[in-house]
Amino acid sequence: MADHLTVLTTTDSAEKAQALAAGAIKARVAACAQISAPVTSVYRWEGAVNTDQEWQVLFKTPATRYEALEAHIKAEHDYDTPEIIATSIVAGSAEYLAWVEEETKPE
């Protein structure tokens, strides 16, 4: 696994996206979270095809903090099965990645 990850989730309002982002930063399970919106999501849920507007939240975290970030998202999210997808950061500024490490050290 890479040393650092971006982790994506979505939610159905700007306010919920802001709460998820701020909560993860306060809990030190992510160093940064960016909110993008709106996006249109088309998906199958409980046998029906749905189309909804959602807000994406992209977190940056060390791989060592992934499990804590996933647990945080699951605990704070109101979806039954929230999208949680991690992607390895294969390269990045050494200074930025050091900042990610520093900002996610448990207190």
Side-chain angles (χ1 to χ4, degrees):
M1 183 186 289
D3 291 339
H4 300 88
L5 306 169
T6 59
V7 179
L8 177 70
T9 195
T10 56
T11 192
D12 60 3
S13 77
E15 295 79 18
K16 290 177 186 177
Q18 176 64 35
L20 286 168
I25 303 308
K26 288 177 186 170
R28 301 185 77 86
V29 294
C32 175
Q34 295 170 316
I35 300 168
S36 300
V39 297
T40 301
S41 296
V42 180
Y43 57 97
R44 182 179 308 277
W45 183 253
E46 297 179 344
V49 175
N50 298 282
T51 302
D52 290 306
Q53 193 173 68
E54 292 188 298
W55 281 252
Q56 291 181 329
V57 185
L58 185 65
F59 303 93
K60 282 74 164 209
T61 195
T64 57
R65 297 293 282 152
Y66 173 78
E67 287 184 17
L69 176 56
E70 180 182 322
H72 177 83
I73 293 169
K74 287 179 177 179
E76 298 300 319
H77 212 297
D78 65 342
Y79 287 9
D80 292 338
T81 307
E83 174 181 16
I84 304 173
I85 298 174
T87 303
S88 298
I89 297 174
V90 297
S93 157
E95 296 84 1
Y96 181 81
L97 297 177
W99 173 80
V100 169
E101 291 283 338
E102 185 63 30
E103 294 303 315
T104 55
K105 287 182 181 174
E107 293 186 288

